[in-house]
Amino acid sequence: MTANTLKRQPLYAQVKQLLMQRMSGGEWQAHDALPSEWELADELGASQGTVRKALSELVDAGLLYRQQGRGTYAAPVPGDWGEASLLTPGLFFERPDELVREFLGMSRLNASEDIAEALQLRRLAPLLRIRQLWRWHGAPVALDDALLPAETFDGMDARWLRNSAGVYATLQQRFGVRVRVVCEQFRAEMLPREEAGLLGVTGMVADVPALCLLRLSADMDGRPLEWRQRYCLTHQLAYTVKHG
């Protein structure tokens, strides 16, 4: 965003953008308290009402949260796995081992008819494909292809993705967009050759279907922003989602 673009925005939107830039720069980490409305107003040369409107929009977007009588805080960045984890089958209360993320790359492609419909885009609209591998104790256990509208996230830099905690962290920190999952579908599917190679599936395991997850995510206003396909190896681990 250029300085001229910023100047054409309403004042509260300029304040909102400046606060987002400061958050993306790491000034406030998850659960850090922001300065008060009066302090921010004095610092930014704006009225308290303007600052309050900017903060309210960031709260509505899920980037901040308020505690009554205490102040406004930076919200934690959602993870790409959300409430899901990989556990030993039947051990519902097992503490999940951390999955280590490996960024494999970003490329461009055109939306197929079904993906364009899901993301409410025109057919063949340009997409960004972000590929990530997830390892459990060093062994690959899951592979993600996250597809995003290229025009919405113009300027996306692979370096941001490489150095972040995941796609959702990058969208929030760099674009001020907080993502929520709208729908997920699961089915058993034989791995395509390329995906099988990346997941190291060979021998007898190659004949075992993988769990295929299709996910549609949107921003806080309900606009579809991400179509994701995830392959999980579940012959030893169970894809687990905890509620409440």
Side-chain angles (χ1 to χ4, degrees):
M1 179 173 290
T2 65
N4 287 336
T5 302
L6 191 59
K7 290 178 181 177
R8 289 196 297 269
Q9 294 181 332
L11 187 54
Y12 81 88
Q14 295 181 43
V15 171
K16 175 183 173 182
Q17 187 67 32
L18 289 171
L19 293 174
M20 284 168 45
Q21 290 173 357
R22 291 170 66 174
M23 283 189 285
S24 67
E27 183 169 347
W28 300 301
Q29 301 297 320
H31 306 299
D32 282 351
L34 272 67
S36 70
E37 292 178 2
W38 285 111
E39 291 171 323
L40 286 171
D42 184 60
E43 179 182 346
L44 299 173
S47 69
Q48 185 188 16
T50 296
V51 170
R52 182 181 297 119
K53 182 172 177 60
L55 291 174
S56 294
E57 292 211 350
L58 291 171
V59 169
D60 292 341
L63 300 178
L64 302 175
Y65 66 92
R66 288 190 172 113
Q67 289 190 349
Q68 186 67 33
R70 298 188 63 183
T72 305
Y73 299 81
V77 177
D80 282 22
W81 282 73
E83 301 301 319
S85 58
L86 295 177
L87 301 179
T88 303
L91 299 185
F92 296 103
F93 302 106
E94 180 181 50
R95 182 175 180 177
D97 291 319
E98 181 183 1
L99 295 177
V100 177
R101 171 181 167 273
E102 181 180 340
F103 171 66
L104 298 182
M106 181 175 70
S107 58
R108 298 178 75 94
L109 50 80
N110 297 110
S112 61
E113 187 171 349
D114 58 336
I115 294 176
E117 181 179 357
L119 292 175
Q120 299 179 9
L121 301 171
R122 65 185 185 280
R123 187 173 180 272
L124 301 179
L127 299 174
L128 300 174
R129 185 183 78 167
I130 300 164
R131 176 162 277 187
Q132 306 175 118
L133 185 70
W134 302 89
R135 295 181 181 273
W136 181 79
H137 293 282
V141 290
L143 179 69
D144 281 354
D145 278 329
L147 304 182
L148 308 173
E151 294 174 357
T152 302
F153 299 107
D154 183 38
M156 175 72 78
D157 193 317
R159 291 174 299 179
W160 300 344
L161 293 157
R162 184 175 296 109
N163 297 324
S164 76
V167 175
Y168 296 165
T170 301
L171 297 186
Q172 178 163 322
Q173 293 168 349
R174 297 291 178 173
F175 295 91
V177 174
R178 189 176 180 91
V179 173
R180 62 180 179 85
V181 176
V182 174
C183 184
E184 291 181 316
Q185 297 179 335
F186 299 86
R187 66 175 181 170
E189 184 177 308
M190 301 304 295
L191 285 168
R193 183 184 299 272
E194 181 181 2
E195 283 76 2
L198 290 169
L199 284 167
V201 174
T202 57
M204 293 182 61
V205 180
D207 298 326
V208 178
L211 178 69
C212 178
L213 174 151
L214 296 180
R215 173 189 293 170
L216 181 67
S217 299
D219 63 16
M220 300 307 289
D221 294 324
R223 180 177 56 153
L225 286 181
E226 183 215 30
W227 186 98
R228 183 182 297 230
Q229 183 174 54
R230 171 178 293 164
Y231 286 108
C232 285
L233 302 182
T234 55
H235 53 284
Q236 293 181 324
L237 298 168
Y239 191 100
T240 308
V241 180
K242 293 187 178 181
H243 302 281

